[in-house]
Amino acid sequence: MTGTLPRRAAAEFTGTALLVAAVVGSGIAAARLSPADVGLQLLENAIATALALGALILIFGPVSGAHFNPVVSAVDWWLGRRAGTGLSGRELAGYLPAQVAGAVVGAALANVMFDLPAVAWARTDRTGGHLWLAEVVATAGLVVLVFALARTGRTGAAPAAVGGYIGAAYWFTSSTSFANPAVTIGRAFTDTFAGIAPASVPGFVVAQLAGGLVAIGAIALWFPDAARDAGDVVVPPLSPETVRQ
């Protein structure tokens, strides 16, 4: 990885905050604009999230790689640890708290933008084996996608591919595809359309971590040399000198 860790961690913090602000804010707007149609609300929420995610990858990818997700960062560290690619242990320790803190701030920001209390614990229970299975599937698919793009030299497609995958997974998973422990924690801080009750968070996070393990196995099977390109996930960060040119 290139650039200073504080600079990259700040990008992960801000990118994750804006991602959660997009998820929560679009959910609030959808519920207000289409109060009688939950399906339309979900469509509006999914489209806004997919588009925002693609844009955020374009903004912050050159700085930090645009992980915005502890599972992506952890798998990046795990696969690249022996090859010296991807995140180091120190970098992982900087990324994870930045992502979680950013997610909480992003939820509060969305709440305030819509004239709601900055923090309101969610009351939407999301629990059950079918939802946990959906989170395993959604998270594994996301991680395999970003490593497949890196291994095959197609990271330029990451903004559209990752945004498209998350937008689609809103619909083909019963959990509406949180697929991200930081985002899951952040969404516990908003009692709105996108919220998740704090008591439901641990089950989702465990399922997402399991999805990361499934992804490691799938990557080893389908892309056995993926460790060589771990430093290019989600997109290759640029050195500060290159960014200034």
Side-chain angles (χ1 to χ4, degrees), residues 4-229:
T4 63
L5 179 55
R7 175 173 170 269
R8 298 200 310 275
E12 287 295 301
F13 171 88
T14 308
T16 309
L18 292 175
L19 173 59
V20 174
V23 173
V24 173
S26 63
I28 297 171
R32 293 182 179 181
L33 293 171
S34 310
D37 193 333
V38 177
L40 183 56
Q41 293 172 18
L42 184 62
L43 178 62
E44 293 161 347
N45 191 205
I47 291 173
T49 299
L51 294 175
L53 180 54
L56 292 170
I57 292 172
L58 288 170
I59 295 169
F60 296 106
V63 182
S64 67
H67 292 189
F68 311 149
N69 188 327
V71 175
V72 171
S73 297
V75 173
D76 187 58
W77 163 76
W78 177 259
L79 291 181
R81 71 195 191 285
R82 293 179 179 173
T85 57
L87 297 178
S88 67
R90 174 175 172 270
E91 290 165 339
L92 179 65
Y95 270 43
L96 299 188
Q99 292 160 350
V100 173
V104 174
V105 170
L109 175 62
N111 288 337
V112 172
M113 285 195 295
F114 284 88
D115 197 28
L116 298 172
V119 173
W121 295 114
R123 291 174 290 179
T124 303
D125 291 320
R126 301 177 190 262
T127 187
H130 65 297
L131 298 180
W132 300 331
L133 175 60
E135 284 300 294
V136 173
V137 171
T139 307
L142 173 63
V143 175
V144 171
L145 170 63
V146 297
F147 278 89
L149 292 173
R151 183 66 190 93
T152 57
R154 296 176 295 160
T155 54
V162 175
Y165 175 84
I166 291 298
Y170 260 80
W171 289 90
F172 73 72
T173 65
S174 59
S175 64
T176 67
S177 182
F178 286 49
N180 184 327
V183 169
T184 302
I185 293 170
R187 289 169 67 164
F189 288 78
T190 179
D191 189 23
T192 60
F193 180 81
I196 177 172
S200 300
V201 168
F204 266 52
V205 171
V206 169
Q208 291 154 0
L209 295 176
L213 294 176
V214 171
I216 289 173
I219 292 166
L221 175 63
W222 295 327
F223 303 98
D225 297 323
R228 294 189 303 182
D229 301 287

